[in-house]
Amino acid sequence: MTLPALEITGLQASESRNPILNGVNLRVDTGEAVALLGRQEAELTATLRAVLGHNRARTGSVLIHGVESIGMDAYAVSHLGVAACPARPDLIAGMTCEENLLLPLPLEGVLGGGLSLTDIYELFPALRRARAAPGVNLDEAEQQMLALARVLRSGANLLLFDQICAGLPGAAARTMGRTVTALKALGYSILFTELNPDFPAEVADRSYLLVDGVSELLASALDLGSMPLPAPVLTSVTALSATSLPVVATRPLAASNAADVSGAADSAGVPMLAPAYAEAQTLIDEYIQPLP
């Protein structure tokens, strides 16, 4: 039996001596994307900080690939194969997009076995097109892609995204949703928080609601109507659930994630694949109607 990439049990934590997490329980299996939703941005961020070992005032259990990390510092945790994607990269003026991408990684993030430059450009065609452009000229969406691409070079296979689409317009947010699905197909495990109403929340294999520091599993999309979700999160699910999300065909998928080619293409002519969660999406479409 394969161990979960991440398993949190009874996580409690404090920030500035104030309790903020009072019982977080969640699981991310290998090759899954799991969403953590909630009202308070501080609670969502605190959960990821606790997983990364940045918050030592924590108790409970945080298993990363089966290894208990609750007593580890951030340096030790990073070598378990987990990494966080920042909202934006630190760009160096006078360097191109590619030169910024290839900057040396922090020591604690270097695990080996990360994606090659060829793989990254296959996953992010926009970065390939902008490779010779000054890094400071990248728009917000391209900067977010660059931040994620640098993390993928590290070799980490458990990725934490804290509102990765914050401030991005709808089209860019949906592109990032396709990227998340493509990363799942490549075997990455992802835990993401998101309040951007344009982010396609249906990319998650499973969702948890975090309220007053306590997490609760959303058994299905049908639970959303009775859950006290913040308006932006509820909007993201209802507005985008009517269409299944295509995934960019970056390379052959594993058998468990295989899907039939739909024959469709996005505006850039990139071929799309039908998502592996198509059956679940049909259930969502039947009961949750999109906003006008």
Side-chain angles (χ1 to χ4, degrees):
M1 180 178 178
T2 303
L3 292 171
L6 175 65
E7 188 169 18
I8 301 175
T9 306
L11 178 62
Q12 300 186 43
S14 299
E15 296 275 357
S16 302
R17 299 185 179 181
N18 296 316
I20 189 167
L21 302 179
N22 303 305
V24 176
N25 301 278
L26 61 83
R27 186 185 80 255
V28 182
D29 289 328
T30 301
E32 277 191 334
V34 171
L36 184 60
L37 312 176
R39 287 192 183 95
Q40 301 297 325
E41 179 179 343
E43 292 181 352
L44 301 175
T45 300
T47 302
L48 301 191
R49 281 174 45 80
V51 172
L52 292 165
H54 293 307
N55 184 345
R56 300 300 300 272
R58 66 194 192 280
T59 59
S61 175
V62 178
L63 295 174
I64 300 176
H65 301 301
V67 178
E68 181 58 73
S69 65
I70 198 68
M72 296 181 178
D73 60 19
Y75 182 86
V77 169
S78 69
H79 283 81
L80 296 178
V82 58
C85 180
R88 300 290 183 270
D90 292 325
L91 296 174
I92 297 182
M95 298 181 68
T96 65
C97 170
E98 182 167 283
E99 289 170 339
N100 273 280
L101 172 60
L102 295 177
L103 285 172
L105 295 166
L107 177 62
E108 60 268 27
V110 178
L111 301 168
L115 293 188
S116 67
L117 190 60
T118 299
D119 292 332
I120 286 173
Y121 284 149
E122 189 176 335
L123 192 60
F124 302 106
L127 293 185
R128 180 175 59 236
R129 293 191 294 269
R131 61 192 301 177
V136 293
N137 289 353
L138 299 178
D139 61 28
E140 286 188 311
E142 291 167 338
Q143 287 186 37
Q144 183 58 82
M145 292 178 189
L146 179 59
L148 177 52
R150 295 200 72 225
V151 171
L152 295 177
R153 288 183 54 228
S154 73
N157 51 26
L158 172 58
L159 309 177
L160 307 183
F161 299 159
D162 192 10
Q163 298 184 57
I164 194 173
C165 290
L168 296 184
R174 288 188 288 275
T175 296
M176 191 57 68
R178 290 196 294 272
T179 300
V180 168
T181 307
L183 290 174
K184 289 196 303 178
L186 295 176
Y188 287 94
S189 307
I190 301 166
L191 173 63
F192 68 87
T193 68
E194 192 54 65
L195 296 178
N196 186 333
D198 290 315
F199 188 81
E202 71 271 19
V203 303
D205 296 282
R206 189 165 50 258
S207 297
Y208 293 84
L209 180 66
L210 184 61
V211 177
D212 296 330
V214 179
S215 65
E216 181 175 352
L217 174 65
L218 297 179
S220 73
L222 303 184
D223 291 345
L224 292 171
S226 59
M227 284 294 183
L229 285 174
V233 176
L234 184 58
T235 301
S236 70
V237 176
T238 56
L240 295 171
S241 61
T243 56
S244 58
L245 183 69
V247 53
V248 177
T250 57
R251 61 179 65 187
L253 304 181
S256 60
N257 291 321
D260 295 330
V261 176
S262 66
D266 67 5
S267 58
V270 179
M272 299 297 183
L273 298 180
Y277 46 83
E279 293 182 2
Q281 187 62 47
T282 300
L283 181 65
I284 295 173
D285 292 343
E286 182 177 355
Y287 287 95
I288 299 182
Q289 298 300 314
L291 294 177

